[in-house]
Amino acid sequence: DIQLTQSPSSLSASVGDRVTFTCRASQSLNIYLNWYQQKPGKAPKLLISAASNLRIGVPSRFSGSGSGTDFTLTISSLQPEDFATYYCQQSYSTLITFGQGTRLDIK
Amino acid sequence: QVQLQESGPGLVKPSGTLSLTCGVSGDSISSNFWWTWVRQPPGKGLEWIGEIYHTGNTNYNPSLESRVAMSVDMSQNHFALKLTSVTAADTAVYYCARGPRVASRDPPDYWGQGTLVTVSS
């Protein structure tokens, strides 16, 4: 199985802050790394696919980058609705795996 | 707008079988997508269970493969999950989702709202 390690596991930040999350894979994924946002009691919402492709309707303050084994998700200016848990997911392998998540809290 | 909706019993006895259905609207189950199941134990992360194509082709998580079966009902435009010999460790919110697109590595895009299944006597 491909292991995904997200860091940090949790983060406290304020509205307007710029935050970056990291996802590291146990083997190269090329660009096949995706990011989801999940709010309590809700299904995951796809934000970014293939490392950097912003899904239609997702605000431009979200951006993704990386290739190979190291990937980042950046939120350029936090909004109140962005406080949630973020998961990376790899679709390089047929056996899809997720990172353990990064919880973003209000400071 | 594509919508998915999970349905099934919320309580299953230990050693029993968990059975869920995912109804799809806004797309055809015979379209060019795989259909996926993911679960999330309370307070924990996401686990991919497997996927099915309308032809009946499946891919399962090896950790669950001996207990999982998925099926498709094109007349009802839904797909189903069965998980046998359940234990408390199978207690989770179960999600169905659309994707990936065939011959792509796109991630699942549309998800159901999820349904909590508790394994308890």
Side-chain angles (χ1 to χ4, degrees):
Chain A
D1 302 7
I2 297 176
Q3 308 301 316
L4 298 178
T5 303
Q6 291 186 241
S7 59
S9 56
S10 64
L11 175 63
S12 294
S14 301
V15 173
D17 284 353
R18 177 185 179 92
V19 295
T20 297
F21 311 128
T22 296
C23 181
R24 176 163 290 174
S26 59
Q27 67 180 74
S28 177
L29 305 177
N30 195 332
I31 61 166
Y32 300 111
L33 190 284
N34 314 299
W35 291 96
Y36 287 88
Q37 176 194 67
Q38 187 180 35
K39 296 182 179 179
K42 300 295 186 181
K45 173 187 174 184
L46 180 63
L47 300 177
I48 288 172
S49 62
S52 62
N53 292 338
L54 196 67
R55 194 178 182 204
I56 292 173
V58 175
S60 60
R61 63 181 179 272
F62 291 90
S63 63
S65 65
S67 65
T69 61
D70 294 311
F71 300 86
T72 60
L73 171 68
T74 297
I75 309 174
S76 61
S77 178
L78 277 172
Q79 299 303 301
E81 61 269 28
D82 298 338
F83 293 94
T85 299
Y86 293 83
Y87 291 95
C88 59
Q89 177 226 41
Q90 64 80 18
S91 50
Y92 178 83
S93 165
T94 301
L95 174 49
I96 289 175
T97 51
F98 294 86
Q100 83 280 13
T102 292
R103 179 175 171 175
L104 177 60
D105 292 329
I106 299 175
K107 185 184 287 184
Chain B
Q1 176 75 345
V2 179
Q3 293 184 311
L4 296 93
Q5 177 69 60
E6 305 87 352
S7 59
L11 182 64
V12 181
K13 294 187 187 311
S15 78
T17 296
L18 179 158
S19 297
L20 295 174
T21 297
C22 181
V24 178
S25 60
D27 194 4
S28 170
I29 203 79
S30 60
S31 67
N32 210 29
F33 286 91
W34 290 79
W35 301 90
T36 291
W37 289 97
V38 172
R39 70 179 183 178
Q40 184 172 36
K44 296 188 178 180
L46 299 159
E47 180 181 32
W48 180 79
I49 300 171
E51 61 190 7
I52 185 166
Y53 191 55
H54 67 82
T55 56
N57 287 8
T58 54
N59 292 302
Y60 297 144
N61 191 322
S63 68
L64 298 169
E65 189 164 17
S66 63
R67 300 193 291 127
V68 169
M70 296 182 185
S71 59
V72 166
D73 185 334
M74 285 189 278
S75 67
Q76 298 289 325
N77 211 46
H78 72 214
F79 60 108
L81 169 70
K82 287 189 186 297
L83 182 66
T84 62
S85 304
V86 297
T87 69
D90 295 309
T91 294
V93 175
Y94 285 76
Y95 296 101
C96 59
R98 187 187 78 166
R101 190 185 304 268
V102 169
S104 81
R105 289 174 174 162
D106 296 339
D109 52 6
Y110 291 97
W111 292 58
Q113 65 186 24
T115 187
L116 174 63
V117 179
T118 301
V119 178
S120 175
S121 55

